[in-house]
């Protein structure tokens, strides 16, 4: 019989508790920051009808990067590669019942059939923040302020990241001047988006258009106003970047991406923009929208580069280490009492030597232990040892919860 492999599927990750704790930390900062700006959380299923992506998305995402299958009822199904079509669908579906403006956020896992490499995987989690029905640049300003606040909340300083902004209208104007048709425009736009990653940009442009052209872009009034107003809000790491065009077809104007300034991490931490026409695909009238997506993979790389991932502490506050099996019943009653008082408590039922039990609790990163022998059982006074400081404190059971809460490091 052939053995089943323990490898996980290509391009996805297993989250062992240490990894999950980093992930929880990332989600925590995301959630806290989004809620501090008044955004409400939503979610949806990973599965969508494939049609949703055919109407509008990036060409590359739909034709080369989706996971599709036909279900048992002959339906074409796709594992969502991004959240924007889903939020647009959800809004179109209930538009009349919703109170605008909407500020919504979500942390979906997304699937893209990409070549796995540094910063790019086949499954990632992505914070999405979107604001609907605001037609002026205050939506753009808010979204950039959120982006900046999130990264600052992770401990990054403004020199460590750069917010690159552009407006597709600037490109479109240029393409019009050059007399390009729709196909040429969209191909050239994609090429410009990749400019920094390819060596023979000029040759490829010439091949596409059949002639040499000069590409220079000036910021328009909107971009200048955005940069100016952000500066006044204390955000000055924002630059006009005409090569940011974004891979998706639905953006209608303002677009942006945020980069780690460390050249080792040269992929975008996040990206987004304005997409006022996406509801058209559901035959709904236009709805102004600005939003962004921020992935966990690049973010983690960046936080690691700058040493900004907090040390892993176990969420368990206290481990009981009973010296003898005869104490298991009473110790589990005490554990229940402490849990009711708000502690996270585990019990070692291994029956192993006390030294062993302590060393395991320590390895797991549990901060407090309490060894239970005859003395503790009869007096109901416990010795609580803080494994981080080695300090021991003797307390009646009734005082343990408060003591641990006052002294725990997380
Ligand atoms: P996106 O640029 O495709 O935009 O993705 C946003 C961010 O998600 C990227 O900057 C990157 O950090 C991360 N990301 C994307 N693909 C992968 C991958 N294969 N592996 C790891 N991380 C990845 C969107 O998805 C838009 N729907 C964002 C948006 C929301 N626009 C408006 N609202």
């Amino acid at each position: 019989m052939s053995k089943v492999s323990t490898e996980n599927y290509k391009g996805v990750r297993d989250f062992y508790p240490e990894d999950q704790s980093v992930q929880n930390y990332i989600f925590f900062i995301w959630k806290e920051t989004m809620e501090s700006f008044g955004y409400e959380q939503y979610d949806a299923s990973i599965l969508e009808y494939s049609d949703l992506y055919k109407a509008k998305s990036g060409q590359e995402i739909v034709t080369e990067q989706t996971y599709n299958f036909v279900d048992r009822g002959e339906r074409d199904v796709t594992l969502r590669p991004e959240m924007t079509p889903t939020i647009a669908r959800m809004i179109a579906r209930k538009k009349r019942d919703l109170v605008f403006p909407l500020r919504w956020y979500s942390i979906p896992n997304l699937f893209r059939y990409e070549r796995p490499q540094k910063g790019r995987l086949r499954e990632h989690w992505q914070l999405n923040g979107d604001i609907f029905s605001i037609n002026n640049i205050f939506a753009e300003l808010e979204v950039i302020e959120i982006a900046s606040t999130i990264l600052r909340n992770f401990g990054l300083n403004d020199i460590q990241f750069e917010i690159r902004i552009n407006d597709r209208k600037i490109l479109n104007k240029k393409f019009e001047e050059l007399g390009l048709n729709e196909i040429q425009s969209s191909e050239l736009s994609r090429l410009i988006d990749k400019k920094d990653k390819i060596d023979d940009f000029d040759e490829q442009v010439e091949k596409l258009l059949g002639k040499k052209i000069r590409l220079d872009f000036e910021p328009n009034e909107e971009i200048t106003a955005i940069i100016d107003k952000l500066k006044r809000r204390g955000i000055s790491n924002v630059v006009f970047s005409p090569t940011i065009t974004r891979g998706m077809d639905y953006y209608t104007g303002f677009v942006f991406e945020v980069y780690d300034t460390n050249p080792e991490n040269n992929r975008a931490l996040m990206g987004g923009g304005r997409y006022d026409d996406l509801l058209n695909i559901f035959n709904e009238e236009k709805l102004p929208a600005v939003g962004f997506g921020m992935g966990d993979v690049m973010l983690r790389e960046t936080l690691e580069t700058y040493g900004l991932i907090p040390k892993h502490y176990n969420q368990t506050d206290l481990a009981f280490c009973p010296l003898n099996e005869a104490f298991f019943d009473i110790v589990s009653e005490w554990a229940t009492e402490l849990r009711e008082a708000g502690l996270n408590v585990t019990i070692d039922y291994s029956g192993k030597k006390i030294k062993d039990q302590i060393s395991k609790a320590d390895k797991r990163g549990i901060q407090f232990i309490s060894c239970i022998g005859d003395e503790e059982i009869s007096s109901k006074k416990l010795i609580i040892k803080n494994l981080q400081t080695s300090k021991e404190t003797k307390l009646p059971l009734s005082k343990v919860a408060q003591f641990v809460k006052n002294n725990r490091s997380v």
Side-chain angles (χ1 to χ4, degrees):
M1 209 176 83
S2 69
K3 290 205 186 90
V4 175
S5 165
T6 56
E7 284 277 299
N8 55 4
Y9 173 69
K10 188 173 174 180
V12 309
R13 290 160 291 169
D14 290 331
F15 290 87
Y16 288 86
E18 298 93 271
D19 302 306
Q20 188 61 48
S21 100
V22 176
Q23 196 76 347
N24 290 346
Y25 169 68
I26 289 175
F27 288 9
F28 170 76
I29 298 282
W30 279 351
K31 199 170 151 49
E32 291 265 307
T33 314
M34 292 316 293
E35 289 174 3
S36 78
F37 279 85
Y39 283 62
E40 294 176 281
Q41 191 166 12
Y42 71 97
D43 207 346
S45 167
I46 295 168
L47 301 178
E48 289 279 6
Y49 287 117
S50 301
D51 276 348
L52 181 63
Y53 305 102
K54 287 179 187 146
K56 225 176 202 185
S57 248
Q59 197 59 16
E60 198 183 12
I61 279 205
V62 179
T63 53
E64 291 160 33
Q65 295 187 341
T66 49
Y67 280 89
N68 305 311
F69 64 96
V70 178
D71 76 5
R72 289 167 205 269
E74 305 287 312
R75 299 171 198 90
D76 266 320
V77 182
T78 295
L79 301 190
R80 61 183 176 205
E82 57 160 333
M83 200 59 169
T84 312
T86 298
I87 193 177
R89 179 181 65 68
M90 286 169 69
I91 287 171
R93 190 170 178 208
K94 282 215 164 178
K95 208 170 154 207
R96 269 134 220 101
D97 306 330
L98 297 169
V99 182
F100 289 92
L102 296 179
R103 289 179 166 89
W104 285 9
Y105 82 93
S106 188
I107 308 178
N109 56 336
L110 307 176
F111 295 84
R112 296 185 191 179
Y113 196 82
E114 298 204 54
R115 188 169 61 79
Q117 53 193 297
K118 186 176 153 93
R120 280 282 173 277
L121 296 174
R122 290 185 172 171
E123 181 188 24
H124 76 281
W125 273 257
Q126 194 189 84
L127 169 66
N128 275 250
D130 292 271
I131 176 166
F132 290 89
S133 92
I134 308 268
N135 221 341
N136 54 48
I137 62 166
F138 283 86
E140 276 86 346
L141 292 169
E142 179 165 309
V143 162
I144 295 180
E145 190 174 344
I146 291 173
S148 160
T149 308
I150 291 173
L151 294 174
R152 288 175 180 178
N153 286 349
F154 278 111
L156 287 161
N157 65 46
D158 287 9
I159 299 164
Q160 290 165 327
F161 66 96
E162 185 173 77
I163 301 161
R164 303 183 186 162
I165 68 172
N166 190 17
D167 190 332
R168 278 198 175 172
K169 293 195 287 290
I170 301 174
L171 282 176
N172 293 344
K173 200 170 141 222
K174 187 88 194 167
F175 295 165
E176 228 172 81
E177 281 166 25
L178 289 166
L180 308 187
N181 63 34
E182 211 174 303
I183 295 169
Q184 285 173 321
S185 301
S186 115
E187 298 268 314
L188 182 57
S189 166
R190 255 183 264 286
L191 212 54
I192 293 173
D193 193 44
K194 288 191 195 136
K195 187 170 184 231
D196 296 336
K197 292 182 206 128
I198 49 181
D199 304 323
D200 58 343
F201 176 76
D202 290 335
E203 287 79 14
Q204 290 208 33
V205 171
E206 195 179 340
K207 203 170 132 205
L208 176 72
L209 306 179
K211 59 179 177 197
K212 273 200 169 58
I213 53 157
R214 246 174 64 90
L215 281 170
D216 48 353
F217 303 99
E218 294 286 321
N220 59 14
E221 244 174 65
E222 218 177 281
I223 290 289
T224 313
I226 289 172
I227 293 178
D228 192 47
K229 281 184 187 290
L230 285 168
K231 242 184 218 140
R232 275 189 259 155
R233 291 186 189 189
I235 301 170
S236 33
N237 51 344
V238 186
V239 293
F240 169 56
S241 227
T243 60
I244 301 286
T245 72
R246 309 275 302 133
M248 281 89 176
D249 283 343
Y250 47 68
Y251 295 109
T252 49
F254 167 79
V255 283
F256 82 109
E257 273 175 352
V258 178
Y259 283 80
D260 182 342
T261 47
N262 185 323
E264 258 174 56
N265 301 325
N266 61 355
R267 284 184 175 279
L269 284 164
M270 62 197 293
R274 180 174 279 280
Y275 55 102
D276 291 342
D277 296 339
L278 193 53
L279 258 52
N280 293 356
I281 64 172
F282 309 102
N283 258 341
E284 288 286 337
E285 50 189 77
K286 270 167 114 73
L287 179 66
V290 181
F292 69 90
M294 175 171 197
D296 64 326
V297 181
M298 265 321 296
L299 177 65
R300 195 174 166 162
E301 299 264 358
T302 291
L303 297 180
E304 269 164 10
T305 302
Y306 296 118
L308 291 173
I309 304 230
K311 191 170 159 352
H312 168 67
Y313 289 118
N314 200 306
Q315 291 298 311
T316 308
D317 300 305
L318 175 70
F320 272 126
C321 306
L323 262 67
N324 188 320
E325 279 185 32
F327 305 145
F328 285 0
D329 284 317
I330 186 94
V331 166
S332 50
E333 276 174 34
W334 291 356
T336 305
E337 202 175 313
L338 293 177
R339 285 183 201 116
E340 279 165 5
L343 294 194
N344 298 337
V345 184
T346 181
I347 305 165
D348 190 323
Y349 291 128
S350 67
K352 292 228 166 92
K353 288 208 194 78
I354 210 73
K355 230 177 82 193
D356 257 25
Q357 298 190 31
I358 296 172
S359 123
K360 282 203 176 145
D362 195 23
K363 272 194 195 140
R364 292 202 176 103
I366 299 173
Q367 192 181 353
F368 297 96
I369 54 152
S370 181
C371 301
I372 306 298
D374 287 313
E375 166 73 33
E376 284 73 17
I377 299 285
S378 58
S379 69
K380 254 192 151 185
K381 285 211 171 98
L382 315 185
I383 295 172
I384 305 293
K385 181 167 184 179
N386 184 338
L387 292 177
Q388 281 168 19
T389 60
S390 296
K391 201 176 150 206
E392 295 187 341
T393 311
K394 194 166 182 178
L395 294 165
L397 179 65
S398 59
K399 294 260 160 60
V400 170
Q402 200 53 52
F403 172 80
V404 169
K405 283 186 201 166
N406 292 345
N407 291 282
R408 64 185 163 193
S409 54
V410 275

